[in-house]
Amino acid sequence: MYERVIREAQTRDDLDAYLNAMSLRKVWFELFLPLPVKTAWETRFPELREPGATTAAA
């Protein structure tokens, strides 16, 4: 369900209604998301990145 909500949400209210931050952190690495989507979320929410992961090399 989280994959679908992240891909198809139309508004912030949609995300707020269906996603739980703690649950999202637990399943994040199991989600199959397009790379641009995953990158955008990890940029906005760095706590979702794998420990030791960095952003794009400079």
Side-chain angles (χ1 to χ4, degrees), residues 16-38:
D16 290 341
Y18 297 105
L19 300 180
N20 173 278
M22 187 177 295
S23 295
L24 180 60
R25 285 186 205 104
K26 288 180 183 178
V27 301
W28 182 251
F29 299 110
E30 299 171 23
L31 299 180
F32 183 73
L33 296 168
L35 186 57
V37 172
K38 186 172 179 122

Side-chain angles (χ1 to χ4, degrees), residues 4-21:
R4 178 160 277 174
V5 171
I6 290 170
R7 290 179 192 203
E8 298 181 16
Q10 297 294 310
T11 67
R12 171 81 188 244
D13 289 338
D14 292 340
L15 297 172
D16 290 341
Y18 297 105
L19 300 180
N20 173 278

